[in-house]
Amino acid sequence: MRGDWPTNEISLTEGKRVLFLTKDLDLIRKQLYDGLDLKMEDLRIEDLLDDINTDVMTPAWVCFDHSPVEIAKNAYAGLMHNGLRVFNENALKNGNFEVIVSGQRKGTGSSRETAPQCERWSGINIVIAASFAPIHERNNINLGQLMGDHAMLTRLQNGESIALSEFTDRYDPVTKIILERGGLFAFAKALKAGEVSLPAINTPSRPMTMAEKIIARNLVGQDDGQCVKPHDPVIAQVQGGYSHEFTTAQVHNFLIEEYGENYSLPNPSKFAVFEDHLLYAHHNPKFVPHMAKVQVLRDLQIEFQQHTGVRDYSAQDGVSPGICHQVAREEFIEVADFIQATDSHTCMGGASNALTWGVGSTEYANLVSAGFTFVKVPESIRFELVGTLNHGCTAKDIILYILSDHAREELTLNRSMEFGGSGLTSISADERATLCNMATECSARTGICEADDLLYDWMLKTQPHLDINVMKSLAVAPDEGAEYTGGIHVINLSEIVPMVAHPGNPDEGIPSDPTNGANITDIGQVEINIAYGGSCTAGKEDDIAYYALVCQAAEDAGLTVKDGVEFYIQYGSGIVKEMAVQKGWHALFERVGINLIDPGCGACIGAGPGVSINQEQVTVSAINRNFQGRSGPGKLYLASPLTVAASAFTGIITAWNDDLFN
């Protein structure tokens, strides 16, 4: 698509420009529209935007286009200032830029490959940042985007040519080949044609973490018992995966482009499609003009499913079976599976002692067609949980603490977050799913929990056909002496207090981010307009039980939802809703004034009831990320299900305790 890119020597093209994404948004405007050209040597890394998330690069409505050419027209449409887009339509493409520059942790948030696509198809060949979120970095690699640091940019701007190897030598041998070939599809074709060969794995026998054990078990073309270590480049078999209507169309089109109209999948029964993300998009006035595009995405997913024969989780009569991550763990993720899917919250499956993470459309298209995928073995970081949670705290408070104390320091970056210890046994399977789900907010590769009888009991309840002895034989636990590059961190659950992640101040360069942790006791009286309980993070059975606990106490005290507050609960799956109905909680929710929504995604991605409608509105939400604009233009605080429910009845952000309504 780009001819002979990349070349052996990389230099700036005469007449092409460099775009600096500065914290001073007016400087970005001057570069886009007034012809201002800046130089790295005149700036500090601290002057550049950190934590640019994929929702900013391609907001949900941009992803309604499945063609990268169309997506590029609205690159960075989510970067807002005083309610206005900084990047107008085609601004990035028309600016004649070939390099784009930012600060720390480029590409946090969703795994959507549309984010690097919007740069790639706008003419960007080189992406400069101090660090990259792992899935975003992988997507750049798969698209053949070169990534470098600010010192390299200074050299390029001073007229120097830099050897391609300087951009690629920091990677493992396989990733190096992928980049130098121009991306994953080009690499796969060269591998199939025998034009490249993979290096042998010679890692000696060693103690391994849980993630390493599952990868080692799935190695392709290696001897039985071969061990792996962090950064080993390997080819590994996957047990299954899934995509949803936001992503399947690209997967289908990529496979047609690469392998022809008659392509087939070798093992379709292990893969699935879900209609969950856009069922309620028409509730958001901003999305209404795009509903024709949404229907195209639905139609192309149906076409893909019928063409390939993968599992079908389409909506029936407008009601989804549920959010893909929740349904997958309820119905087909098994102990120690290796699962990949086109969504960053795929890591939620790690609660089942499985290795699961999100990938982009290009990588998913490759793995579903081959049955295996390229993996660079991740480093690990262990969280040894001890003690028990105080009443009023949930797993959401644990992960908000880890986000503020560990993820902000990048200890979790691109690592497998391993959860274990005596404290884990006091946390339910659903609560473990909350921990693993939000590993992606920590910019980690994935999260994974140790297995125990509590997990086996939960899995037999949800998948009664499973053999408990087989599950126990497959389960992985870390070896004594396993290497934790990120360290072993003891988390005393009894010291956790109810927390929020606050919305920051994006207009002053403080991004709205899940790592903005604060104790509820320290934020003062924050009045709210919306309380939202739902999403893959907070629409599980245990989450619904938390909402019900608070609602029953409120009803007993003669209370209904506070005047001026809209409280929404959205079920994570049909199984969860059925449980709520049977226990009488659904009726309880209706009696106290809650807006109930059928299973599926919604306000979490700005595509359903519960989004804010203006900048003045304040939301307290149990979802996983609070990036600017993701759930509407207002200010959004992340909190636990208990805090969300309690706040809905008090009208201010409030931690739950048993005497709250007395």
Side-chain angles (χ1 to χ4, degrees):
M1 290 182 288
R2 284 185 282 187
D4 295 328
W5 179 262
T7 56
N8 290 330
E9 293 288 328
I10 304 300
S11 59
L12 299 184
T13 306
E14 186 175 353
K16 293 286 186 179
R17 303 174 63 206
V18 178
L19 177 63
F20 291 86
L21 299 176
T22 55
K23 290 176 180 173
D24 183 344
L25 301 185
D26 283 331
L27 277 182
I28 300 178
R29 286 194 176 95
K30 289 176 181 178
Q31 294 173 83
L32 290 173
Y33 310 118
D34 298 338
L36 174 67
D37 287 313
L38 301 175
K39 298 202 73 172
M40 189 65 233
E41 61 188 15
D42 297 324
L43 295 167
R44 302 170 304 157
I45 295 175
E46 292 77 15
D47 296 325
L48 301 168
L49 279 172
D50 297 325
D51 298 295
I52 295 176
N53 64 75
T54 53
D55 288 79
V56 163
M57 299 173 73
T58 51
W61 63 268
V62 175
C63 303
F64 296 157
D65 280 307
H66 62 278
S67 165
V69 174
E70 293 298 313
I71 289 165
K73 292 179 179 179
N74 284 294
Y76 285 84
L79 186 61
M80 308 294 287
H81 187 215
N82 294 328
L84 298 175
R85 285 174 59 169
V86 176
F87 285 73
N88 296 329
E89 187 171 311
N90 283 315
L92 184 59
K93 182 177 180 180
N94 291 344
N96 199 31
F97 301 103
E98 68 174 350
V99 182
I100 196 162
V101 192
S102 59
Q104 302 284 349
R105 298 174 294 276
K106 171 73 176 291
T108 58
S110 166
S111 64
R112 61 187 67 168
E113 190 181 296
T114 54
Q117 286 173 4
C118 84
E119 295 179 334
R120 157 76 179 77
W121 269 267
S122 292
I124 300 296
N125 290 331
I126 303 171
V127 185
I128 302 292
S131 60
F132 294 86
I135 299 177
H136 185 73
E137 181 176 30
R138 194 76 233 168
N139 285 336
N140 269 319
I141 290 165
N142 293 336
L143 293 177
Q145 294 288 80
L146 296 185
M147 288 169 283
D149 60 32
H150 301 92
M152 297 171 77
L153 176 59
T154 297
R155 293 163 57 194
L156 289 170
Q157 286 193 301
N158 287 331
E160 186 176 338
S161 292
I162 299 178
L164 175 61
S165 58
E166 280 201 48
F167 287 91
T168 61
D169 279 351
R170 64 189 176 98
Y171 295 105
D172 62 82
V174 177
T175 298
K176 180 179 169 71
I177 297 171
I178 292 172
L179 274 170
E180 292 178 350
R181 284 279 169 171
L184 187 59
F185 281 132
F187 164 80
K189 288 182 176 179
L191 184 64
K192 187 175 182 179
E195 297 171 6
V196 298
S197 58
L198 301 177
I201 301 300
N202 54 13
T203 298
S205 180
R206 62 186 292 274
M208 291 190 289
T209 66
M210 290 191 281
E212 291 164 356
K213 282 187 171 183
I214 293 176
I215 292 171
R217 184 180 291 176
N218 286 286
L219 291 176
V220 173
Q222 305 290 338
D223 294 336
D224 289 343
Q226 174 64 53
C227 289
V228 298
K229 66 180 185 303
H231 310 297
D232 274 350
V234 302
I235 301 296
Q237 188 175 21
V238 292
Q239 274 67 62
Y242 51 90
S243 60
H244 51 69
E245 75 270 39
F246 241 143
T247 57
T248 303
Q250 279 203 344
V251 172
H252 186 41
N253 282 358
F254 287 168
L255 288 170
I256 290 173
E257 289 173 7
E258 295 299 324
Y259 302 109
E261 294 278 353
N262 297 320
Y263 79 87
S264 61
L265 305 186
N267 205 358
S269 65
K270 290 182 179 290
F271 297 90
V273 294
F274 286 86
E275 188 179 355
D276 61 349
H277 272 57
L278 300 175
L279 279 178
Y280 304 99
H282 59 281
H283 286 270
N284 187 334
K286 185 172 66 174
F287 291 165
V288 170
H290 306 286
M291 292 311 297
K293 293 180 179 179
V294 171
Q295 189 58 49
V296 170
L297 295 179
R298 291 170 176 155
D299 294 343
L300 286 172
Q301 175 159 286
I302 292 170
E303 185 177 303
F304 172 80
Q305 191 280 323
Q306 293 177 344
H307 180 93
T308 60
V310 298
R311 293 172 181 241
D312 185 10
Y313 290 97
S314 296
Q316 300 296 322
D317 298 322
V319 178
S320 173
I323 304 172
C324 52
H325 316 299
Q326 173 65 8
V327 176
R329 63 186 283 265
E330 289 173 342
E331 297 200 9
F332 62 83
I333 294 178
E334 299 181 24
V335 169
D337 270 353
F338 188 17
I339 302 289
Q340 297 194 336
T342 59
D343 193 289
S344 61
H345 290 109
T346 302
C347 50
M348 182 170 168
S352 298
N353 191 233
L355 186 61
T356 61
W357 65 61
V359 296
S361 299
T362 296
E363 191 165 353
Y364 188 76
N366 254 316
L367 72 90
V368 295
S369 62
F372 52 81
T373 190
F374 165 71
V375 174
K376 186 168 80 168
V377 179
E379 297 177 351
S380 292
I381 178 172
R382 181 170 175 86
F383 292 93
E384 191 81 15
L385 307 183
V386 299
T388 57
L389 282 171
N390 293 311
H391 196 57
C393 291
T394 75
K396 185 63 165 289
D397 298 297
I398 303 172
I399 198 66
L400 286 176
Y401 168 74
I402 291 172
L403 273 157
S404 66
D405 199 66
H406 298 76
R408 182 163 282 279
E409 299 297 322
E410 296 193 343
L411 299 178
T412 53
L413 181 65
N414 207 11
R415 290 176 171 144
S416 172
M417 295 174 64
E418 188 174 288
F419 297 98
S422 59
L424 187 69
T425 62
S426 69
I427 298 175
S428 70
D430 276 356
E431 288 282 78
R432 297 174 192 186
T434 298
L435 297 179
C436 291
N437 177 286
M438 291 189 65
T440 192
E441 275 65 56
C442 298
S443 293
R445 177 70 66 87
T446 191
I448 183 171
C449 291
E450 292 179 343
D452 58 11
D453 287 340
L454 185 151
L455 172 66
Y456 303 136
D457 291 344
W458 180 85
M459 294 197 70
L460 285 175
K461 183 185 78 169
T462 58
Q463 300 183 61
H465 63 280
L466 294 177
D467 185 317
I468 191 169
N469 292 319
V470 172
M471 285 193 288
K472 288 182 175 181
S473 69
L474 291 173
V476 293
D479 292 325
E480 185 175 351
E483 175 186 352
Y484 293 99
T485 315
I488 299 175
H489 303 264
V490 177
I491 306 292
N492 188 336
L493 301 184
S494 66
E495 296 177 356
I496 299 293
V497 298
M499 293 185 67
V500 296
H502 65 75
N505 191 340
D507 287 341
E508 294 184 7
I510 304 171
S512 190
D513 188 270
T515 65
N516 293 335
N519 295 347
I520 291 178
T521 54
D522 295 333
I523 64 172
Q525 300 280 301
V526 178
E527 295 185 1
I528 66 166
N529 307 102
I530 299 170
Y532 179 84
S535 81
C536 52
T537 315
K540 308 179 297 297
E541 289 191 5
D542 279 11
D543 303 310
I544 304 303
Y546 284 135
Y547 304 133
L549 170 68
V550 178
C551 290
Q552 188 61 66
E555 185 177 57
D556 291 345
L559 300 176
T560 57
V561 172
K562 185 79 171 181
D563 288 345
V565 175
E566 291 289 333
F567 186 9
Y568 299 86
I569 290 179
Q570 185 166 21
Y571 298 110
S573 73
I575 291 174
V576 173
K577 180 181 178 181
E578 182 180 350
M579 177 275 303
V581 171
Q582 290 177 348
K583 288 181 177 291
W585 294 342
H586 187 86
L588 167 66
F589 297 149
E590 290 180 323
R591 291 196 302 271
V592 296
I594 296 173
N595 303 291
L596 295 172
I597 312 169
D598 277 327
C601 297
C604 179
I605 55 170
V611 299
S612 57
I613 59 174
N614 60 58
Q615 291 180 310
E616 286 69 44
Q617 286 188 309
V618 175
T619 298
V620 61
S621 177
I623 65 174
N624 37 52
R625 50 183 63 140
N626 60 335
F627 298 138
Q628 182 186 19
R630 181 174 174 90
S631 295
K635 296 179 176 62
L636 191 147
Y637 290 77
L638 298 179
S640 76
L642 285 175
T643 297
V644 167
S647 304
F649 292 98
T650 64
I652 59 174
I653 295 180
T654 307
W656 166 252
N657 67 76
D658 287 339
D659 296 323
L660 181 63
F661 302 138
N662 292 337

